[in-house]
Amino acid sequence: MSGGTDRQRSVFTFAPGAPFAKSLAQLLLDETAGDPETLARYKVLLPTRRACRTVRESFLRLSGGAPILLPALLPIGDVDEGDLSLQMFGADGRFLNIPPAMPALRRQLLLAKMLQAGGVFAEGREQALRLADSLGTFLDEMIIGGKDFSALSRLVPEEFSAHWQISLRFLEILSVHWPKIIEESGMIDAVHRRNLLLRALADYWRAFPPDGPVIAAGTTGSIPATAQLLRVISELPQGRLILPGLDFDLDAESWESLDESHPQYLMKVLLMTLDVSREAVGVIGQIPETAGTGRNDLIREIMRPAATSGQWIHFGDSVRRLGTAASLLDGLRLYTCDTPQEEAQVVALLMREALEADGKTVCLITPDRGLARRVAAHCLRWGIAVNDSAGESLSATSVGIFLFLVLEAAHRRFDPAALLALLKHPLCGLGTERAEMERAVGSLERFFFRDEEHRPHALHDLANITSKSSYKDVARIAQILSDIFAPLTAFSDGQSYDFAKIYEAHIRAAERLSDLPDLPGDLRLWSGEAGEAAAHFLSELLGESEQIDPLSFADYVSLLFVLAQRVTVRPRYGLHPRLSILGQLEARLVDADLVILGGLNEGTWPTALRHDPWLSLPMRKSLGLPGPERFAGQAAHDFAQAFWGTEVVLTRSRKVDGAPTVPSRWLQKMGAVLQACGADHSVLSGGSHLRWARIMDDAVDVRPVSRPCPRPPVFLRPSRVSVTRVDGWLSDPYGHYARYGLGLKKLPPLRVESDHALRGQILHRAFETFLGAYPEILPPDADGLFLGHLQKAAAALLHETETLQFWITRMDDPVRRIMAHERIWRETSKFLATEAFGSLILDVGGQPFTLYGRADRIDRRSDGYALIDYKSGGSFSSQKLQNGGLPQLPLEALILERGSFRRSDPGLQGSETFRGRSSYLGYWMVNAGRKEEFTAAVEGDLTALITLVEDGLKGLVVHYRNEKVAYVNLPDPRRMPRYNDYLHLARVREWSVADSDAEEVIL
């Protein structure tokens, strides 16, 4: 490429390793040292608004905080019409006649509507909104690259698979309809408008050169419109272009063989556009003493094109011969951590340590948002709020969460978990004092939502229940909620409504819910950064409501959630001025004393290949759109620029989400280069921060908790037990003591889980109501009637029987078998009672002990009583019942013989007491999995069996009345309780690992 030109180009770069923003500010201060007022005549164009802020801060630091007239700093990447109007036409911008940009929100809604109308790609509104993002990106790429949509017609659909053909046909339709939509709106795409603004400025400056210096710094001109403007600036009499990190020392062969994945490629293309040779570019300043040449040489070799990678050998020989290997590693460290959590801890420690030095600045650069969030969270443990440029999604802020909790509570018809999550949110006030609110919510949860007997089906049911009870505060809260939610829940019937109507009800409900006695909700909810961002977003969304077709309540929720995820909230105050977390784009031109490059795993940095749902790679190549190599090259340029910092730390983790990772390609190449140089790269990992991170939360003396073995005094030991808990006493004495000695019971769940226990409860309740309805004569259609009782029992216990429909439909065969058995059974037996309560006080060593229980069913036979228990699952056998391995029914027989059972049921002719000898004990299995035997029973003379379990129970009581005997947790691993509510209390997962080699505890 020739260096001769018709005009002299003013193209420069800073010396390798020089901090860009600081060097730029210093250059301008030096040039205007004799006349500081002239600095205000400079116009400086920078890549981003953050770059403008960074340069502004560099001026402030270099001036020592003294007042200074700054140049006009303009962001090319986010160009503003007002700024350009001032540059072109002074204060009067009438001559800049460019249509306004279509708001991003309206654009996404319109694209989503087109996708839904097509009906091919989008199944539902939420998917259409998400696909609209990628479709908008495709449109922007076409506009930025100056591509004509007619090029789509030149792609041959038959050359591609069927789904790409469908996509291509849709894009061709889009190329026709979207320009019409844009034209009718009187607006244009934002990137198109940016191109027009940049070209307008370029045309104006070409015709009317500014009378002051113009500098474009830090941009590589990857956008054609930007490259056009840079060319004009380089030709201005007082214009200069300062490139970021142009490498003069890269050999000519490598320079000629650059591909898109190389960090110098975009600058090479820009120089060709400017018709300037690399040799003609001037160098400003000298290499800083703190940078040295070794790091520059190292990054050059790391990024060397594959075609010339063989020169690594010559480079290594040269380094070995000159003994300069140490200079390659000067100021560079590498931490390879085990997990992302450990990596974040290391980075946080580096930041915290840097604050010990006066004025030292630290910047973490990473595209890994998970790492960024973890680092910010770790810093908070020291009370340090780090400036994270990515901010936080509105949907993840307190205000956003509250707004969606309101919708979830209404949409799920006041599901207890959803409603309690809303009521416990800090923004929920209901116009009451916080203390009163917390008391009412606690009572609501404990005595209603966690009470299976009184759990309400709806909010108005709760208001009716509580108004008749002593919980007046709960009744008041329930009534307030009912009044607030009434307008909103009117839309949750599955029908479609106008967006604005649901929106108004939603916002009104949210504001009323956040009321405080001394502060109205509309002032409280929309305050602060998150509140203001939410108010702006919702106001803008309401303004675009005409673009939203009528929708259901569920669609309203999903639409709001998808759109809110795109809204970023950034705190403005309380952030540490010397710490920052930046993405790749935000980090351009940023100077910091310590630069941490984190998340250096392949697929994270550089990022994995972006999936394009619209075009395949060959299709993108045919259209001339950027491919993965272009994005990799931009990432490589950002990495190389940051790598030149004075002090650089590289971090990565060996595993992410439990899966092994691959080091970034740049780390792999660095290892190969250092190996060729004979450098001891182990010194890179010689820092102490990884060791600090690993010991930071370690205890000096780790003592795992031992197996719980409480030995309370005798008077505190349990003196009663249920017949259903005796087996659990044997398998888990500690659980028995927690239940009966300490009185600890597991709270019922907020949401009833459809598990074996629930199915057992449903089965028992169905038999209770069915037998109560037909105590003597079994109806002909007993099978169908019983299934109806099963449905009602499920609805009463779960409220959402849909989750149990599959189980209920599979009960046809078991119900037919059990009803056939019932008909035969009633020929010789008479039904008496269900759910009868009984108790017996035993004399054990001269001291009383109470045995109690509830019999599922009691029948009368000619030779005695029959005790029956229904089971929906489990392992039961007649042999196990006969030898005392199933003690429940024999203990019920003991109560029936020595004590009594009592029923009290108006539907069964009032109260009655049962006492006498049992002649039948049986478990009846109503289980879809059982095809053959479904009863486990013993009958006849049961004296020996009852005596066996009685002696066993008394022996157990006597044994545990000895104060030396401990209530050991899970003494025999071969005999574990079927259900255990005390695993967390006993910390089984902790002591069982430490106790794995210990001998079994024998009682």
Side-chain angles (χ1 to χ4, degrees):
M1 180 177 64
S2 173
T5 61
D6 294 335
R7 298 182 185 180
Q8 178 64 39
R9 312 286 185 192
S10 299
V11 185
F12 300 89
T13 189
F14 287 121
F20 197 97
K22 181 180 179 181
S23 300
L24 177 61
Q26 188 65 60
L27 171 67
L28 301 188
L29 288 174
D30 292 343
E31 289 182 359
T32 59
D35 187 8
E37 294 183 2
T38 60
L39 184 60
R41 298 178 58 241
Y42 279 71
K43 298 177 179 64
V44 182
L45 280 69
L46 297 165
T48 63
R49 291 189 180 276
R50 176 168 284 276
C52 293
R53 188 160 59 249
T54 301
V55 172
R56 191 180 302 117
E57 292 169 354
S58 295
F59 275 111
L60 181 63
R61 285 194 295 270
L62 290 173
S63 66
I68 185 174
L69 292 174
L70 292 178
L73 303 175
L74 305 174
I76 298 179
D78 192 12
V79 66
D80 181 79
E81 179 180 352
D83 292 339
L84 292 192
S85 296
L86 292 173
Q87 303 306 316
M88 297 166 61
F89 309 110
D92 187 358
R94 291 179 301 166
F95 304 102
L96 195 60
N97 186 21
I98 297 177
M102 177 176 286
L105 181 60
R106 182 182 306 178
R107 186 180 193 232
Q108 186 178 8
L109 291 171
L110 287 172
L111 290 173
K113 186 183 293 187
M114 290 185 65
L115 286 166
Q116 281 189 290
V120 177
F121 301 100
E123 297 180 0
R125 197 180 302 263
E126 182 176 352
Q127 186 185 13
L129 285 167
R130 296 188 186 279
L131 276 176
D133 266 345
S134 60
L135 185 58
T137 301
F138 165 74
L139 286 172
D140 290 343
E141 288 177 337
M142 293 288 287
I143 295 169
I144 290 172
K147 307 301 178 184
D148 194 333
F149 280 100
S150 62
L152 289 168
S153 61
R154 294 194 293 271
L155 295 177
V156 183
E158 289 74 16
E159 294 180 357
F160 306 104
S161 58
H163 69 284
W164 291 124
Q165 295 179 34
I166 297 172
S167 175
L168 192 57
R169 285 194 292 271
F170 174 80
L171 291 177
E172 289 177 351
I173 297 172
L174 176 70
S175 67
V176 175
H177 290 286
W178 183 248
K180 293 181 180 178
I181 294 173
I182 286 289
E183 183 179 0
E184 292 172 358
S185 70
M187 301 179 177
I188 57 178
D189 292 287
V191 293
H192 185 200
R193 190 170 191 277
R194 182 184 63 188
N195 285 350
L196 293 178
L197 288 170
L198 292 174
R199 290 191 177 107
L201 181 60
D203 293 341
Y204 181 80
W205 277 351
R206 185 182 287 113
F208 306 99
D211 57 0
V214 178
I215 300 174
T219 181
T220 57
S222 57
I223 299 174
T226 303
Q228 180 182 345
L229 177 60
L230 295 181
R231 181 182 179 91
V232 171
I233 293 173
S234 69
E235 296 173 346
L236 293 175
Q238 299 186 69
R240 275 176 290 178
L241 174 60
I242 303 179
L243 299 177
L246 180 64
D247 189 356
F248 287 99
D249 295 327
L250 184 64
D251 59 275
E253 181 185 0
S254 297
W255 180 262
E256 293 301 326
S257 62
L258 292 181
D259 59 20
E260 287 187 303
S261 64
H262 196 278
Q264 296 289 310
Y265 176 81
L266 289 176
M267 281 182 289
K268 177 183 176 181
V269 172
L270 178 60
L271 290 176
M272 294 175 64
T273 302
L274 300 175
D275 195 19
V276 174
S277 68
R278 184 172 51 145
E279 293 75 17
V281 177
V283 179
I284 301 175
Q286 298 179 347
I287 299 176
E289 296 180 0
T290 55
T293 59
R295 189 91 56 74
N296 302 332
D297 294 337
L298 179 58
I299 191 61
R300 182 183 307 112
E301 296 303 321
I302 290 173
M303 297 298 178
R304 178 176 290 280
T308 62
S309 58
Q311 295 190 26
W312 281 347
I313 298 176
H314 304 300
F315 176 74
D317 291 342
S318 174
V319 170
R320 290 172 185 268
R321 184 175 62 257
L322 297 175
T324 57
S327 67
L328 301 178
L329 308 179
D330 187 31
L332 185 65
R333 282 177 286 173
L334 169 65
Y335 287 110
T336 301
C337 307
D338 291 333
T339 64
Q341 292 79 7
E342 188 174 80
E343 182 182 5
Q345 184 79 288
V346 168
V347 174
L349 284 169
L350 286 163
M351 288 183 160
R352 178 64 183 85
E353 182 188 39
L355 295 182
E356 299 296 321
D358 291 341
K360 187 173 184 178
T361 57
V362 185
C363 174
L364 166 64
I365 304 175
T366 179
D368 186 348
R369 293 303 311 145
L371 175 63
R373 286 191 293 268
R374 290 187 183 98
V375 170
H378 279 302
C379 287
L380 285 176
R381 73 192 302 176
W382 300 302
I384 301 171
V386 182
N387 183 5
D388 187 351
S389 66
E392 190 175 23
S393 169
L394 175 61
S395 59
T397 64
S398 179
V399 173
I401 291 171
F402 178 73
L403 290 172
F404 287 107
L405 285 175
V406 174
L407 293 174
E408 186 178 11
H411 179 54
R412 299 181 65 173
R413 292 291 180 174
F414 307 106
D415 170 82
L419 189 56
L420 282 176
L422 172 65
L423 292 173
K424 292 182 179 182
H425 193 281
L427 283 173
C428 189
L430 300 182
T432 63
E433 297 292 344
R434 193 65 193 175
E436 179 187 352
M437 175 84 168
E438 290 177 353
R439 285 195 302 270
V441 172
S443 298
L444 177 64
E445 178 179 0
R446 177 66 183 89
F447 300 111
F448 293 94
F449 286 157
R450 291 190 182 272
D451 188 327
E452 297 175 355
E453 294 290 331
H454 302 103
R455 185 180 283 122
H457 286 258
L459 204 57
H460 61 82
D461 293 342
L462 178 63
N464 293 335
I465 294 171
T466 54
S467 63
K468 301 173 184 178
S469 69
S470 59
Y471 300 103
K472 300 300 181 183
D473 54 346
V474 177
R476 179 172 172 272
I477 293 294
Q479 190 59 56
I480 293 174
L481 287 172
S482 184
D483 293 342
I484 291 176
F485 273 108
L488 185 58
T489 53
F491 298 105
S492 60
D493 56 359
Q495 302 299 314
S496 294
Y497 295 94
D498 182 67
F499 171 85
K501 292 182 179 179
I502 306 178
Y503 171 94
E504 182 180 358
H506 174 210
I507 300 305
R508 180 58 181 152
E511 290 178 345
R512 290 188 62 191
L513 284 165
S514 57
D515 278 340
L516 288 178
D518 56 348
L519 183 63
D522 56 351
L523 295 180
R524 182 176 180 231
L525 189 58
W526 313 119
S527 63
E529 289 99 345
E532 292 174 8
H536 181 271
F537 160 67
L538 292 169
S539 176
E540 183 184 8
L541 183 59
L542 181 62
E544 303 294 346
S545 59
E546 63 181 19
Q547 311 299 336
I548 305 173
D549 294 331
L551 72 175
S552 67
F553 190 85
D555 284 339
Y556 173 86
V557 176
S558 60
L559 178 143
L560 205 64
F561 183 74
V562 172
L563 296 179
Q565 286 181 310
R566 294 169 51 88
V567 180
T568 301
V569 179
R570 294 182 176 89
R572 296 189 293 265
Y573 309 105
L575 302 175
H576 202 286
R578 292 195 280 139
L579 303 181
S580 58
I581 301 175
L582 304 174
Q584 296 169 240
L585 178 63
E586 295 86 0
R588 293 172 185 173
L589 306 194
V590 170
D591 299 333
D593 300 315
L594 170 62
V595 176
I596 305 170
L597 306 180
L600 287 171
N601 288 324
E602 195 67 17
T604 301
W605 198 1
T607 56
L609 176 63
R610 186 186 64 182
H611 172 67
D612 186 347
W614 305 107
L615 297 175
S616 64
L617 287 177
M619 295 165 76
R620 291 180 63 88
K621 187 175 181 180
S622 298
L623 288 173
L625 296 178
E629 295 82 6
R630 173 71 61 84
F631 301 116
Q634 291 173 338
H637 183 268
D638 296 332
F639 177 82
Q641 284 293 98
F643 196 82
W644 275 348
T646 303
E647 185 181 0
V648 177
V649 177
L650 313 174
T651 70
R652 64 172 294 263
S653 56
R654 291 188 179 91
K655 287 187 176 182
V656 174
D657 296 331
T661 60
V662 176
S664 171
R665 64 190 67 176
W666 306 314
L667 290 184
Q668 296 182 57
K669 289 182 178 181
M670 184 177 73
V673 172
L674 293 177
Q675 185 176 7
C677 297
D680 182 12
H681 58 272
S682 63
V683 300
L684 292 178
S685 305
S688 56
H689 300 84
L690 181 57
R691 180 172 56 85
W692 291 350
R694 288 174 176 171
I695 67 175
M696 191 169 180
D697 296 318
D698 284 354
V700 176
D701 184 15
V702 179
R703 297 181 181 180
V705 66
S706 58
R707 186 196 302 252
C709 300
R711 292 179 173 83
V714 173
F715 72 92
L716 291 179
R717 299 195 174 212
S719 60
R720 64 192 183 101
V721 70
S722 167
V723 294
T724 58
R725 299 280 182 169
V726 172
D727 189 61
W729 189 357
L730 291 167
S731 58
D732 184 16
Y734 175 81
H736 173 77
Y737 173 67
R739 171 68 178 83
Y740 293 100
L742 301 178
L744 301 176
K745 292 197 299 183
K746 180 181 178 181
L747 283 174
L750 288 173
R751 291 175 182 163
V752 181
E753 300 294 335
S754 178
D755 54 11
H756 288 293
L758 176 67
R759 290 196 286 271
Q761 292 180 49
I762 293 172
L763 186 65
H764 282 76
R765 180 167 294 193
F767 270 110
E768 182 181 0
T769 57
F770 177 80
L771 293 173
Y774 309 102
E776 296 183 359
I777 301 175
L778 204 63
D781 57 341
D783 302 357
L785 290 171
F786 182 80
L787 287 173
H789 282 265
L790 206 61
Q791 291 273 10
K792 291 180 181 178
L797 288 173
L798 191 61
H799 299 178
E800 298 175 2
T801 57
E802 293 81 4
T803 58
L804 285 169
Q805 284 304 316
F806 178 70
W807 172 71
I808 293 175
T809 56
R810 294 181 67 230
M811 294 298 289
D812 285 346
D813 287 342
V815 167
R816 277 196 293 270
R817 288 197 300 270
I818 199 68
M819 286 299 124
H821 177 75
E822 181 76 17
R823 287 190 178 92
I824 299 173
W825 174 262
R826 290 200 180 193
E827 294 176 0
T828 58
S829 303
K830 176 180 174 55
F831 168 71
L832 296 178
T834 60
E835 299 300 320
F837 179 80
S839 63
L840 167 64
I841 299 178
L842 296 171
D843 184 344
V844 182
Q847 297 182 36
F849 186 89
T850 301
L851 177 67
Y852 66 92
R854 192 173 294 277
D856 283 356
R857 175 174 175 178
I858 303 176
D859 282 13
R860 168 76 74 179
R861 287 159 53 101
S862 60
D863 55 349
Y865 288 102
L867 294 170
I868 301 165
D869 197 358
Y870 302 106
K871 297 296 182 183
S872 62
S875 176
F876 299 89
S877 67
S878 300
Q879 182 179 0
K880 195 172 182 181
L881 181 58
Q882 180 66 54
N883 61 25
L886 298 172
Q888 177 186 337
L889 288 180
L891 289 173
E892 289 181 12
L894 177 63
I895 294 175
L896 186 63
E897 183 175 325
R898 306 275 187 84
S900 66
F901 278 97
R902 181 182 66 259
R903 76 154 185 229
S904 180
D905 189 342
L908 294 178
Q909 294 81 44
S911 178
E912 187 175 351
T913 300
F914 307 100
R915 182 172 184 176
R917 189 172 61 85
S918 301
S919 61
Y920 179 93
L921 306 178
Y923 291 101
W924 291 5
M925 270 70 75
V926 188
N927 186 349
R930 283 184 177 266
K931 301 299 183 183
E932 303 298 335
E933 182 183 5
F934 62 93
T935 62
V938 293
E939 54 185 319
D941 186 0
L942 304 178
T943 304
L945 174 58
I946 295 172
T947 301
L948 175 66
V949 296
E950 179 186 9
D951 291 343
L953 175 61
K954 289 182 176 179
L956 197 61
V957 173
V958 171
H959 181 76
Y960 279 98
R961 281 180 175 170
N962 183 351
E963 289 192 0
K964 295 182 179 179
V965 175
Y967 286 93
V968 181
N969 184 216
L970 304 177
D972 187 353
R974 295 166 299 184
R975 182 171 185 167
M976 304 289 284
R978 189 177 179 190
Y979 303 105
N980 196 330
D981 295 335
Y982 304 97
L983 289 174
H984 64 297
L985 183 66
R987 296 165 69 175
V988 173
R989 292 182 181 274
E990 183 175 348
W991 66 255
S992 60
V993 175
D995 223 24
S996 57
D997 297 329
E999 297 181 359
E1000 295 178 4
V1001 179
I1002 306 299
L1003 294 180

